[in-house]
Amino acid sequence: MAEILVVDDSRVMREMVVACLRAEQHGFAHAASGLEAIETLSLRPFDLVVLDLNMPDIGGLEVIEFIRGQDRLRSLPILVVTTRGDEESRARTLAAGASEFMTKPFTPDAILASVRALLQDGVAGAG
C-alpha cells in the first residue's frame, strides 16, 4: 500500500483523484495549497505526489522545485494533473522535475494507469 499526497486547491478535484485510486487501497493525505503540500511533505513520507499547477499561494512548479531540491524527496514521483494543456506548460513542468504530466479532465483509467506505472518504476518508497 502506497502513501499518496493529493495536492489541489479544489476539494472536489482532490476527492475525484482519491475516488479514482481508492480501489488500489492506498493511503491518502490532502493538501489544498502548495504551502500546505510542502508542510505535509516535511512531516511524513509519501510514495507519490499528485499535484495541480494552479494554486493561489505557492504554485505547482515551485512545489516541484522544492521536492527536487530536498535530498530525501529528490526521487519522489510527481504526477502533475492540470488544466494547462499547452506544450510550453508540459515542457516547463517536466523540465522542473515532474515524473508525468496529465491534463484535466482525466479518465479514472488514465490516472490509475499513471499512478500504477509511477509506483512500479522502482522509485516508490523514496519519501
Side-chain angles (χ1 to χ4, degrees), residues 2-122:
E3 289 296 315
I4 300 173
L5 177 60
V6 180
V7 187
D8 198 304
D9 57 321
S10 165
R11 181 184 55 80
V12 171
M13 190 55 61
R14 291 190 310 269
E15 290 174 357
M16 284 178 62
V17 169
V18 170
C20 291
L21 303 175
R22 189 172 308 277
E24 298 288 295
Q25 300 194 356
H26 298 303
F28 298 96
H30 300 255
S33 69
L35 180 59
E36 187 179 347
I38 288 170
E39 291 171 347
T40 303
L41 286 164
S42 299
L43 296 174
R44 63 185 252 216
F46 289 93
D47 300 299
L48 174 72
V49 175
V50 178
L51 177 67
D52 184 24
L53 291 181
N54 304 314
M55 290 180 285
D57 56 2
I58 297 174
L61 284 176
E62 291 81 8
V63 174
I64 294 169
E65 291 167 359
F66 169 82
I67 291 170
R68 294 302 179 234
Q70 304 298 307
D71 285 339
R72 83 174 175 85
L73 300 174
R74 189 162 286 133
S75 62
L76 180 65
I78 304 169
L79 170 59
V80 169
V81 181
T82 182
T83 57
R84 295 186 196 174
D86 61 284
E87 190 53 41
E88 180 182 340
S89 293
R90 173 185 288 277
R92 285 181 52 213
T93 302
L94 293 172
S99 308
E100 194 166 329
F101 185 96
M102 180 179 294
T103 55
K104 297 175 187 174
F106 54 84
T107 65
D109 288 342
I111 196 165
L112 185 57
S114 291
V115 166
R116 283 179 178 161
L118 289 169
L119 291 174
Q120 290 175 358
D121 275 348

